[in-house]
Amino acid sequence: MRKQQCKMGVLAMILLAELGFAQSRDSLSREQAIQEVVVVAFGKQKKEEITGSVQSLKTKDLANLQNGNILQGIGGKVAGVQVISSGQPGSQPTIRMRGIGSINASSDPLIVLDGIPYNGNLNSIPGTDIESISFLEDASSNALYGSRGANGVIIVNTKRGKSKGLHIEADIKTGVNFRSIEDYSVYTSPQDYYTAFYNRARIGEVARLTQPGAVPSGASPHDVGITALSKLGYNVYNVPFSTLIAKDGVFNPDARLLYQDNWKKLIFKPGLRREASLGITANNDLVKSYTSLNYLDDQGYLIGSGFKRFGIRSNLDYAITRKLKLTTNLSYTYSKQNFGESAGFSNPFQFARNIAPFYPVFLRDDNYQILYDNSGQVLYDYGDGQGPNGATRSYAVFENPVGNLQYDKSQTTNNITNANLGLNYEIIKGLDFTYNFGAYLENTKNLQFGNTLGGTSSSVGGTINMGSVFKYTLNHQQLLTYQKKLGQHNFNILIGHELNKIKSDGFSGSKQQLLLPNSQSFDNAVRITDLSGNGYEYAVEGYFTRLLYNYDGKYFFNANIRRDGSSVFSPESRWGNFYGLGVAWNVAKEDFLKDNTVINSLRLKASYGQQGNDNILLDGSARDYYAYQDIYGINNFGDDKPVLSLKKQGNKDLKWETSKNLNAGFEISLFKNKINLNADYFERKVSDMIYALPLPPSNAGSYVKYGNIGDMINKGVQANLNVEILRSGQFHWNVYGNATHYKNKITKLPAEQRNTGLVSGLFILNEGDDRYTYYLKKFAGVNPANGDAQWYRTAVNPTTQQEETTITANYKEATDYNTGKSAIPKVYGGFGTDFTYKGFSLAVNFAYQFGGYGYDDIYRSLFHSDTYASNYSTDLSKTWTPENPNAALPRVDLTATNQNGHSTLYLIKSDYISLQDVTVSYQLPDGFAQQAGLSGLKIYVTGNNLYLWSKRKGYDPRTSLTGVSDPYRYSTLSSVSLGFKFNF
């Protein structure tokens, strides 16, 4: 097996070296483009009929993506769409379409699967099952989804049977997953770390003694440094701490390293990726079917993490009679996701970055030999005094992610069944009635297992946390469609009703003290520490109608209106009216362009509409399904008597957030369709935004209350450009790109916050500024005399009564300022090129963003003044020392804890260019395939997330919408696979 994998890897490298990288993308002729059908709300339209902004990715655009969740791989492919992903296999990315839709409500787009709103994670659907993904970005396109379409709509359509006969396609690929970018540069040598820690103490003493009246802490700064060093406990050299570093700061040349373990190499290892799918279409005059099986084993590069999936799908179209047709979409998916992300010291990403390089992974005796248990299993060092010479760790005691990830478990198992049924009956010619029913059933089981051998869980005899959630969604749609052509006039009228209900019930429990150390059965633990249950119900009902009209294929008009009622709001505020209007002009069909040889097609379009948002978030994550009702918690204060406490105060006056969207643009093709450009201008005004209301001081933070407090606007432009460089015989070369620019501005806040603004973490909400404007202390440089960090302070001079700005070394006195710098980039998008020659196909796709700022909190934390042994950035060499008084970075010692406090010093440009996808493929000649009993055979090598160009090593702007680096996040994952596609 290893030899086969090795041969496949060599073949992959040869193909990459010889052929380069590319992605197949065929341009359409003018006639094909006009007839292209795009999936839209409650149906399909020809591309030329669309008056709004709808973009689509087809099968060929998705074929090269190898993500557990297909949306993880679309970054840079669709104008106006931002994708923020975690490296955790199978994770759901954050998607933003045309900016920020809310402050406290969700900004996530609605996902519609095969015509039915979908409440699950798309990691349950393999990319090989997907026919197309449409992105509806303006009001005329998505207003028919009413209360759920305010942040855009993503319509996913799975494959169906098409051509007659039996057709089989098998796709098999195997590859490797690895970490996409290198982590921050920190000390990896014990010698370098010991020297740095010694100097932190020495330099701190030197700086402290410059203060008036200071008393020495030791005989000399050198002695202070040695004393601090000896408190680290673990000495990995053969000489004592007292002689490890000389008075002149030189490391003892006679010191010999006794042992060293590499945490990162043991925590992060390349993982195997295997995926296989089988699709079968069997069609005749009455029945068209698509059946598929799929399997995925996607191991993360973090040990113990990964995603497994097995699924089966059956899509059927059956003509019962000439007028009555049945469609079904049935699927079942089983998935298991093992997580690596956690909070606190136990998080492996944070731990591997911050653990000092002299701390051992494995438990050793006093002779520094690795210890094993009675069964021959290696033992792990948890820093609790069991190590050599009884040393204890000063950092993250009782934690060891290498050991924990061998025995602990953080896992979610899903069983998902999705069934969509549709009946279409032609009442009379042109008049159809359709009834669609959708049922989504999800059974989720969560397991958190803490071992008995080591770590914090071992102190209580091991832990088991288990939870189970059963959720179902039922959707009913009744659609009446009438189509009529009167001369050059074409009408399409839709009248519909939709009812969507969701119900969820959950139960969870925690127990301690395991009997059997390896059993993950809930009965294996004896002490109950927590039992809880929760559930919710949600319903939204809508009545809607739409008119599509065009005259002679030149002039297009559509209008739609929907009235929605949501159970989130009180009966008095429950119903909202939403609408969309759109017009388009096919200029190319006018006589004055009929014989034009430069302009092959030209369309002008404009739309306007209003939508709503009822997806209110509690604490930024969980959804509030009972916005108008008081929510209480039940507490036990030790006497086993239930006590109610108010968690959230309801607001019966709370109403919909509403978005009013304007879109205007054009589409043009030039020079025999060799140049194709689509461009749009958009405005999105959000009013009655929902946010936590200011409450009286007596509340003291015990509960929250939400209200409609403000307005916001997004204005921007986006464009898609596709240029055919060359088409000659069997050679085709194409380049493409897209760009989006927008500005976000808060236009209204409550009167009481209008002058002061609302502070939200590192950001401030001010009228006239955007949602992610940084609010920080301004760094004023380093005091060369002692290395103190300095900041600006603005205060009223009591003598002159005028505001004055001065410099202070007291962090608490420093002023927080509106920096005027934002996390929102000026422009983002993607570009690429592809070409084909005979059977060879090569493609490259990039994503980018420019013009925004990030806040690198991880980098800041690596300049800490903690007395425990946490690692430092290698940029410590750029900080102030007595020998380097003109350094750009302030002094780092073991006592001045505010030296690296939050300030503008840690703002960083969030610009990046990312090599997203690379694919090389070869379609073998038909004769060769036929000799093997196939109708087609394709060999390909594909890679994702292969390289990142950014401002600082370790900082990845792709993983954060706000630009703030997250020390606990699963860093981006890269994949390279070799695949074979067989057709029968």
Side-chain angles (χ1 to χ4, degrees), residues 430-468:
L431 180 63
D432 290 356
F433 174 76
T434 301
Y435 173 74
N436 293 324
F437 171 75
Y440 172 85
L441 295 89
E442 178 181 340
N443 189 4
T444 301
K445 292 186 178 180
N446 298 304
L447 168 66
Q448 302 284 331
F449 177 82
N451 74 84
T452 62
L453 304 176
T456 53
S457 61
S458 65
S459 63
V460 292
T463 60
I464 297 178
N465 302 322
M466 276 193 172
S468 180

Side-chain angles (χ1 to χ4, degrees), residues 32 157 169 173 180 249 307 535 549 651 741 764 951 953:
Q32 289 173 319
N157 267 39
E169 181 175 275
K173 54 177 170 276
S180 178
F307 178 66
Y549 166 79
N651 184 356
H741 160 76
I764 189 167
K951 187 71 173 178
K953 177 185 174 182

Side-chain angles (χ1 to χ4, degrees), residues 1 5 66-69 88-90 123 126 171-178 270-277 294-302 304-311 334-338 411 973-977:
M1 179 66 182
Q5 292 174 354
Q66 47 177 350
N67 306 89
N69 186 312
Q88 168 67 46
N123 65 12
D171 195 343
I172 302 171
K173 54 177 170 276
T174 186
V176 63
N177 293 329
F178 51 94
L272 186 64
R273 188 182 200 281
R274 293 171 293 182
E275 186 172 12
S277 65
N294 67 86
Y295 171 77
L296 171 65
D297 183 1
D298 202 6
Q299 299 175 12
Y301 62 80
L302 169 66
S305 69
F307 178 66
K308 290 185 178 181
R309 178 184 64 214
F310 170 77
Y334 167 82
S335 65
K336 182 183 291 185
Q337 196 166 15
N338 291 308
Q411 184 182 90
L973 177 146
S974 296
S975 300
V976 175
S977 295

Side-chain angles (χ1 to χ4, degrees), residues 10-27:
V10 172
L11 176 59
M13 289 187 287
I14 293 173
L15 287 171
L16 290 171
E18 295 294 329
L19 302 176
F21 306 141
Q23 173 187 358
S24 178
R25 181 184 293 246
D26 296 323
S27 65

